Amino acid sequence: MPQTSVSDTLREYLSLLELLDDAYWEAGSIHHKDMLYDIISIFSQEVAEMNKLSIQDHHYPYEVITEGIRRVVPKLERLDENREDVIQRTQTLTDFRDILSSVLGILEDQLRTL
């Protein structure tokens, strides 16, 4: 299976960040907001580093840049297990399920190669 390109990964991460931001503002408890904020921070750092790459490099295969992104998979899996409680709005929940599988696929592929 070919690796995901930097531009495809960036698009998926930005979509996830948008959904996590929605979920953060929709969350009903501080505990859920803290969990979402932690994940948002990790992906924001990775996206910031990816944005430093030259646009000509966006066709290359994606490789993890920040240390935090290496440890985010268990947090995403925990969020996925509790998504019904954490994510309140139906549209956000539906979109989250779709994008999460793609992001987890990218991350698990990266962690396999490390």
Side-chain angles (χ1 to χ4, degrees):
M1 180 174 115
Q3 271 191 306
T4 309
S5 70
V6 170
S7 62
D8 291 339
T9 301
L10 187 56
R11 183 176 48 252
E12 296 296 323
Y13 285 4
L14 288 172
S15 295
L16 178 64
L17 273 171
E18 185 178 326
L19 288 170
L20 290 171
D21 185 61
D22 290 345
Y24 175 85
W25 291 109
E26 297 162 8
S29 77
I30 294 298
H31 172 71
H32 292 155
K33 285 185 181 290
D34 287 346
M35 177 176 40
L36 290 164
Y37 183 81
D38 184 37
I39 297 169
I40 289 169
S41 297
I42 290 168
F43 276 97
S44 293
Q45 290 173 350
E46 184 75 5
V47 165
E49 292 301 316
M50 291 172 74
N51 281 328
K52 292 178 184 177
L53 297 172
S54 167
I55 196 74
Q56 289 86 4
D57 294 338
H58 281 215
H59 71 281
Y60 287 118
Y62 168 69
E63 293 179 12
V64 168
I65 301 170
T66 62
E67 190 60 34
I69 205 78
R70 297 176 199 274
R71 296 185 297 249
V72 78
V73 172
K75 294 173 188 278
L76 288 174
E77 289 171 344
R78 194 169 333 122
L79 176 58
D80 191 31
E81 290 169 7
N82 299 310
R83 69 178 179 255
E84 299 285 334
D85 296 327
V86 177
I87 302 173
Q88 302 298 311
R89 223 171 118 240
T90 305
Q91 185 63 49
T92 306
L93 183 60
T94 304
D95 294 346
F96 177 77
R97 278 192 298 238
D98 294 340
I99 196 75
L100 183 64
S101 63
S102 177
V103 169
L104 282 174
I106 291 168
L107 290 171
E108 287 169 354
D109 185 50
Q110 281 295 301
L111 297 177
R112 242 191 321 267
T113 61
L114 294 177

